[in-house]
Amino acid sequence: MASSNVATTGVPTTPAANGAVPLRREVRDLQKNFPDQWNLFLLGLVNFQQVDADDLLSYYQLAGIHGEPFIPWDDVNGVSNPTFGGYCTHSSILFLTWHRPYLALYEQALYAIIQQVATQFPAAVRGRYVAAAQTFRIPYWDWAAKGPGSAFPSSISSPQATIIDVDGATKRISNPLYSYQFPARASQGDLDDRWSVFPGTLRYPDSNDASAQSRDDRVSRVISNENASLRNNVSLILLSYKQFDAFSNNEWLRNGRAGTYGSLEDIHNEIHDKTGGNGHMSALEVSAFDPVFWLHHCNVDRLGAIWQAMNPNSYVTAKASEGNFFTAQGATEDANSGLKPFWDASGTKFWTSTRVKETTTFGYAYPETQKWSYLSTQAYQAAVRNIVVKEYGANALNNFFSNASANIAAAVTPSPALAAAFTKKAVAHPAPPSAQHPIQAPKAANPGPAEHPPPPASAEPAAKPKEVAAPAVAPLELPEQFAHLALDNTYTEWITNMRAVKHGLSQTFRVLVFLGEFSPDPKTWPLEPNLVGRFTVLGRAPNTECAKCKTDQENELVVTGTVPLTTALLGEIVAGRLASLKTEDVEPYLAKNLHWRVTMFNGEEKDRNEVPGLNVSVVSTNVRIGDDGVPVYSDVYTVHPTITDGKSAGHSPGDQI
């Protein structure tokens, strides 16, 4: 007898003869270069958000899996505790893998609606839209990309959108990516008092009542202001982290290693904070209702897949669970733990991390992970590594000086005025779609029409892929007067490490890192020119219904994060305020000029000494640039307590690492 459970299958996909599957594309790429799929995406999302809230595959129900209204989905209950406590896997070894089938379930529900929409177009264009719909996959938003334009695409931030409706007419509609409008039940007991007052999702709301309006313009400005540090952080964890437990989630490993404080979850938290402000995206219990959540998490999944391509032998390791709704405290969570509430195709077993290791399991890949285009694993991994370097400026020195104006590069005596042209702001703003992935894997053979590249399995056999050489990356090239920064092609990378008790302040809070002077008014801090980056902690209140969060509170779970300093220091060198990246120059400079402050969910300042477990340290490591331009990070990290000792929440000699 067939199971009545809802199966998470992703989009039903028959790979091409060479293994090719459709791609999830960057949101700007999809909009510009695949207009039919983009049109279907908006139309499908409008319909998806209007599905009855009692339907298990409605937008409301699927978003609710992530937190509120804290009701079991598809009757998937947990351990003996009779009170439902949610499916939270944050700060857990299952953080990345749990979200993969979650996205796949969302994708399959939206995909099914889009197939229906495509058939409603006039006969003259129906075939075109049906073909486009067949290979639609949800897009991602690459928030760490560089280039001209807004850091927060207008396709997400505009209240209105233009579509071609199923009657063939061009129309202006309410943008389904801008806000989700809640059904009546959300304000009738499903959502808590803090969130039930809002008729729709908000970003940086201007008040706390039903009349509140989003201020999406702030998202782009905030992201742009910290773009250099964000990009450095992405490249740092992609290229230097080799163990899945350190790379994937932000739980403090307590392993005494200063080089494991960063994680993809830490960066993920930062984006939640920057897009939400004091709105829905900044609160995990309601963040999935904001339509940008899915674009954001799709990019998190993409970065995870890129890291997996370069580190195929490191994956989920067995760890004792802090305890949650479906795992008893102290029980082991490993690669074979069930990823509840996501049933596999049989509807009788839950997906596990082992079974979702490959994205192709759910019928998709990313532009960087087209493994089928390479004859050998070695060529594939080399190409992926070089794409990371090219896209995220992993060679911090090349990345910095490539953004310099000719005047600064040629300057014999750098000045602060000249330096302003190419400090951390020079790498802000995402690239236009055509430049998102300058080093692409070769296209699969017989790609088919532009709107649906991978051929069906019944097509002619795909041509055998060639042995593709890794795309070249520029070697280290510095202006002559700055050659001393990387003698023997080696420089020192500087990083701020931070940790704090996750739920210590019973709400989301952030630690902002500055290099130089800043206003005493915390309202100005997110846009201060000397703000380098942030460490965001997505805490929850003691009365949360999240079972894992409650045990994390009881256990005083500590989480970690990083803010790279190298790019900001290079700006100081060009300005003539710092001589080099050497320890003897940087230590006294940072001791005087490095500052950090804490703000609460609403942006108000919090005394650093009142943040449980807060510890801020500065560490450094050597980075050697190979002849191919790819950086090789040392495994040895040095802690510099002389920079932070004696400051509020600063790391002191003898403190645990």
Side-chain angles (χ1 to χ4, degrees):
M1 182 175 178
S3 171
S4 61
N5 295 323
V6 177
T8 297
T9 60
V11 176
T13 304
T14 301
N18 64 348
V21 295
L23 303 181
R24 289 180 177 175
R25 301 182 185 279
E26 212 278 337
V27 64
R28 286 156 288 213
D29 180 27
L30 187 70
Q31 182 181 22
K32 180 178 180 179
N33 298 318
F34 300 86
D36 289 349
Q37 287 192 344
W38 175 256
N39 193 60
L40 288 168
F41 175 43
L42 293 181
L43 289 173
L45 195 53
V46 168
N47 290 347
F48 190 17
Q49 292 177 357
Q50 294 173 351
V51 172
D52 187 281
D54 292 329
D55 189 321
L56 284 177
L57 290 176
S58 66
Y59 185 96
Y60 183 75
Q61 286 275 342
L62 295 188
I65 291 174
H66 201 257
E68 294 188 22
F70 286 110
I71 56 176
W73 185 81
D74 200 18
D75 295 323
V76 177
N77 291 300
V79 290
S80 57
N81 188 340
T83 302
F84 181 71
Y87 303 107
C88 175
T89 58
H90 299 94
S91 304
S92 156
I93 194 67
L94 303 181
F95 165 72
L96 279 182
T97 56
W98 183 88
H99 282 85
R100 181 161 287 172
Y102 188 28
L103 286 170
L105 180 61
Y106 173 89
E107 188 168 52
Q108 80 184 51
L110 177 57
Y111 177 88
I113 292 172
I114 284 176
Q115 305 314 298
Q116 297 172 1
V117 170
T119 64
Q120 298 171 23
F121 277 87
V125 295
R126 187 179 304 145
R128 193 181 90 202
Y129 279 104
V130 168
Q134 288 175 351
T135 52
F136 169 82
R137 298 294 184 271
I138 57 175
Y140 61 90
W141 165 41
D142 186 358
W143 24 254
K146 72 170 182 176
S150 172
F152 195 46
S154 61
S155 58
I156 306 172
S157 62
S158 297
Q160 300 289 310
T162 300
I163 53 94
I164 300 174
D165 208 346
V166 293
D167 61 4
T170 299
K171 301 176 182 178
R172 293 285 286 174
I173 63 169
S174 295
N175 184 2
L177 291 172
Y178 177 74
S179 179
Y180 166 65
Q181 300 303 300
F182 289 106
R185 58 182 285 181
S187 60
Q188 297 171 354
D190 272 7
L191 304 188
D192 66 46
D193 293 343
R194 168 68 176 85
W195 301 107
S196 61
V197 299
F198 300 119
T201 57
L202 298 166
R203 301 164 191 151
Y204 289 89
D206 56 8
S207 70
N208 293 321
D209 55 41
S211 66
Q213 299 293 313
S214 281
R215 294 177 289 180
D216 281 48
D217 61 302
R218 296 197 174 198
V219 180
S220 183
R221 294 162 62 200
V222 167
I223 291 176
S224 294
N225 197 46
E226 302 170 46
N227 183 267
S229 177
L230 173 62
R231 286 168 51 75
N232 286 359
N233 226 353
V234 169
S235 62
L236 176 72
I237 65 168
L238 286 178
L239 292 171
S240 72
Y241 281 45
K242 303 301 180 185
Q243 297 302 316
F244 185 85
D245 59 347
F247 167 81
S248 65
N249 72 94
N250 66 355
E251 180 181 0
W252 184 23
L253 296 179
R254 299 180 186 270
N255 59 5
R257 297 183 59 196
T260 58
Y261 267 54
S263 67
L264 187 51
E265 185 177 10
D266 171 46
I267 296 173
H268 146 276
N269 291 353
E270 176 182 338
I271 301 302
H272 269 279
D273 186 23
K274 289 177 178 177
T275 52
N278 56 328
H280 290 77
M281 267 292 282
S282 290
L284 285 179
E285 60 268 28
V286 292
S287 61
F289 291 110
D290 189 323
V292 79
F293 171 93
W294 306 97
L295 304 177
H296 164 45
H297 264 278
C298 192
N299 194 45
V300 171
D301 182 71
R302 164 181 163 264
L303 294 175
I306 289 172
W307 186 89
Q308 285 181 265
M310 296 185 291
N311 301 275
N313 297 322
S314 182
Y315 197 48
V316 175
T317 52
K319 299 190 73 173
S321 173
E322 295 289 334
N324 53 47
F325 175 62
F326 52 86
T327 304
Q329 186 172 349
T332 298
E333 288 182 325
D334 57 26
N336 294 313
S337 297
L339 301 176
K340 298 181 180 180
F342 308 119
W343 299 100
D344 67 6
S346 72
T348 61
K349 296 184 295 184
F350 293 108
W351 285 105
T352 66
S353 299
T354 297
R355 298 174 62 207
V356 304
K357 188 174 183 179
E358 302 294 334
T359 67
T360 51
T361 299
F362 293 120
Y364 71 91
Y366 294 102
E368 301 87 350
T369 62
Q370 299 177 65
K371 186 177 181 180
W372 56 84
S373 296
Y374 299 93
L375 188 60
S376 71
T377 299
Q378 183 179 10
Y380 171 54
Q381 291 179 335
V384 172
R385 186 169 56 251
N386 285 329
I387 291 170
V388 171
V389 172
K390 194 75 173 181
E391 291 186 359
Y392 300 114
N395 176 342
L397 299 186
N398 263 13
N399 185 48
F400 181 83
F401 284 100
S402 67
N403 286 286
S405 69
N407 288 337
I408 294 179
V412 176
T413 306
S415 69
L418 288 174
F422 91 116
T423 56
K424 59 189 177 76
K425 308 305 182 294
V427 296
H429 308 304
S434 60
Q436 282 294 315
H437 303 292
I439 302 179
Q440 291 280 10
K443 293 182 179 179
N446 303 322
E451 284 287 345
H452 45 105
S458 58
E460 294 182 9
K464 183 178 180 180
K466 298 179 180 179
E467 181 69 41
V468 181
V473 177
L476 181 61
E477 295 179 355
L478 301 178
E480 183 178 353
Q481 67 271 33
F482 300 117
H484 67 284
L485 298 178
L487 297 177
D488 298 323
N489 277 13
T490 300
Y491 72 93
T492 304
E493 184 85 36
W494 292 85
I495 302 164
T496 308
N497 276 355
M498 289 165 283
R499 66 174 185 260
V501 175
K502 181 173 182 178
H503 302 286
L505 295 181
S506 301
Q507 60 180 280
T508 291
F509 64 94
R510 61 199 65 84
V511 184
L512 302 172
V513 176
F514 301 89
L515 190 58
E517 297 179 352
F518 57 97
S519 168
D521 183 2
K523 293 180 181 178
T524 71
W525 291 350
L527 296 177
E528 284 281 338
N530 286 332
L531 175 64
V532 180
R534 70 180 62 194
F535 165 48
T536 297
V537 181
L538 299 178
R540 294 190 181 181
N543 63 349
T544 179
E545 295 182 60
C546 171
K548 182 181 188 305
C549 302
K550 288 180 178 179
T551 58
D552 288 347
Q553 289 169 349
E554 295 170 1
N555 297 332
E556 297 186 339
L557 178 75
V558 176
V559 293
T560 65
T562 55
V563 172
L565 298 170
T566 307
T567 299
L569 290 172
L570 289 171
E572 297 301 286
I573 291 171
V574 170
R577 294 187 287 264
L578 179 63
S580 75
L581 293 174
K582 293 180 179 179
T583 299
E584 57 266 31
D585 293 320
V586 175
E587 274 194 345
Y589 184 82
L590 289 180
K592 180 180 179 181
N593 295 287
L594 184 68
H595 309 281
W596 54 91
R597 294 293 186 271
V598 178
T599 59
M600 306 290 280
F601 183 76
N602 63 4
E604 295 180 358
E605 183 177 8
K606 180 70 174 179
D607 189 323
R608 291 164 289 173
N609 291 318
E610 296 179 0
V611 181
L614 180 61
N615 186 278
V616 180
S617 61
V618 174
V619 302
S620 67
T621 189
N622 288 334
V623 182
R624 178 179 58 81
I625 307 301
D627 293 338
D628 58 359
V630 176
V632 179
Y633 289 80
S634 168
D635 289 333
V636 178
Y637 279 73
T638 302
V639 183
H640 301 269
T642 58
I643 296 172
T644 53
D645 188 23
K647 298 180 180 180
S648 297
H651 187 88
S652 300
D655 284 356
Q656 191 175 358
I657 298 173

